[in-house]
């Protein structure tokens, strides 16, 4: 039997940006794989927009970790691909993940990213993000983390924490297997930098990582993040 892919999309009021991703996922469903929406209680039209475009909508308490774990528990795939709602998938991205389905010994990994804003500063930001992830073997969720079902549950799935769940997962995974990093970049929205400012966003992200390293609780960190 051919291995199956499950794309899992955590959402909370993402109607404004979700439709493009769902269109790109149609080719995945046409190829016999599944797309699962993990909703954290959206009050906009997110769920109604997705109803005909996904195989399953899983309702969960809000929080990406909780939502992704709930969706994974209902997924039928051999490989989980966690994709944020503001991500754009190219046909190359999709076929690179398909190729992993047939590889023995593959365990987990992510994509390099490219930010949507065309300003030169965003080229610097994305290069630094990609370099940091490769150097530390720690990925962030917007990099489209993919992981085999068996390994996902071997390391205990995502920690039920409100922030840094992707960092925590990566740190456990890198102890078991070297990640596969795919260099056909995912197109990721620049909306956070555009909304809050480049300098402020970068400083916030660095500070969150530093204080997480210093063992400040994720419950406190998420208040700063928001």
């Amino acid at each position: 039997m051919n291995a199956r892919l499950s794309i899992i999309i955590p959402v909370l009021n993402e109607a404004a940006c979700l439709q493009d991703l769902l269109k790109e996922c149609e080719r995945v469903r046409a190829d016999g794989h599944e797309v699962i929406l993990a909703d954290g209680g959206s009050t906009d039209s997110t769920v109604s927009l997705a109803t005909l475009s996904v195989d399953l909508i899983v309702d969960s308490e809000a929080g990406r970790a909780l939502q992704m774990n709930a969706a994974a528990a209902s997924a039928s795939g051999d490989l989980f691909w966690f994709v944020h709602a503001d991500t754009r998938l190219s046909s190359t991205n999709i076929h690179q993940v398909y190729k992993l389905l047939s590889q023995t010994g593959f365990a987990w990994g992510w994509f390099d990213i490219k930010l949507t804003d065309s300003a030169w500063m965003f080229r610097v930001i994305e290069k630094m993000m990609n370099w940091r992830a490769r150097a530390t073997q720690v990925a962030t969720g917007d990099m489209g983390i993919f992981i085999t079902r068996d390994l996902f549950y071997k390391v205990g799935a995502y920690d039920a924490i409100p922030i840094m769940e992707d960092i925590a997962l990566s740190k456990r995974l890198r102890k078991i297997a070297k990640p596969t990093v795919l260099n056909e970049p995912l197109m990721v929205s620049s909306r956070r930098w555009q909304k809050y400012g480049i300098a402020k966003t970068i400083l916030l992200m660095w500070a969150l990582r530093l204080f997480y390293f210093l063992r400040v609780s994720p419950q406190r960190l998420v208040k700063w993040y928001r």
Side-chain angles (χ1 to χ4, degrees):
M1 181 180 294
N2 292 331
R4 196 168 192 233
L5 171 67
S6 295
I7 293 182
I8 295 173
I9 308 170
V11 294
L12 180 62
N13 295 328
E14 293 285 12
C17 67
L18 184 61
Q19 281 186 302
D20 287 341
L21 176 60
L22 292 177
K23 289 178 182 178
E24 292 152 1
C25 287
E26 287 177 3
R27 72 188 77 178
V28 177
R29 298 181 72 205
D31 290 335
H33 304 286
E34 70 178 356
V35 178
I36 301 176
L37 196 79
D39 184 59
S42 296
T43 55
D44 65 358
S45 58
T46 294
V47 173
S48 60
L49 283 172
T51 299
L52 298 179
S53 301
V54 300
D55 297 281
L56 182 65
I57 296 175
V58 175
D59 296 319
S60 166
E61 182 180 345
R64 275 194 176 132
L66 298 175
Q67 292 167 230
M68 292 186 291
N69 284 345
S74 299
S76 63
D78 305 284
L79 178 66
F80 298 156
W81 186 10
F82 299 97
V83 179
H84 287 184
D86 60 357
T87 302
R88 299 294 169 262
L89 305 180
S90 70
S91 58
T92 304
N93 295 145
I94 293 170
H95 285 290
Q96 283 184 318
V97 174
Y98 282 177
K99 188 175 180 180
L100 296 175
L101 290 171
S102 62
Q103 292 182 2
T104 58
F106 163 74
W108 74 290
W110 65 85
F111 284 87
D112 284 338
I113 64 165
K114 183 177 178 63
L115 297 169
T116 53
D117 196 296
S118 61
W120 68 269
M121 188 59 188
F122 288 92
R123 305 290 76 78
V124 176
I125 294 170
E126 67 199 22
K127 286 182 183 299
M128 291 302 296
M129 291 175 66
N130 293 334
W131 175 84
R132 182 197 64 216
R134 286 173 177 262
T136 61
Q137 297 190 358
V138 172
T140 53
D142 50 7
M143 292 176 162
I145 295 172
F146 40 82
I147 177 173
T148 63
R149 168 191 287 274
D150 290 344
L151 183 56
F152 182 71
Y153 287 113
K154 181 177 180 178
V155 298
Y158 283 103
D159 289 344
I161 53 179
I163 196 171
M164 298 294 174
E165 74 286 340
D166 43 8
I167 307 299
L169 181 68
S170 294
K171 287 183 175 181
R172 295 198 302 278
L173 289 169
R174 71 183 181 183
K175 295 178 181 178
I176 297 176
K178 184 178 180 180
T180 296
V181 184
L182 300 177
N183 59 13
E184 175 66 26
L186 287 181
M187 187 66 70
V188 174
S189 174
S190 307
R191 59 182 177 171
R192 177 166 289 276
W193 288 271
Q194 292 166 335
K195 183 176 181 179
Y196 297 107
I198 291 175
K200 182 178 179 180
T201 301
I202 291 174
L203 289 173
L204 175 61
M205 296 305 180
W206 285 356
L208 291 172
R209 280 175 170 265
L210 173 62
F211 284 110
Y212 182 67
F213 175 77
L214 295 174
R215 300 187 182 279
V216 175
S217 73
Q219 288 72 22
R220 177 174 293 183
L221 293 178
V222 76
K223 293 178 181 179
W224 300 346
Y225 179 74
R226 290 174 178 167

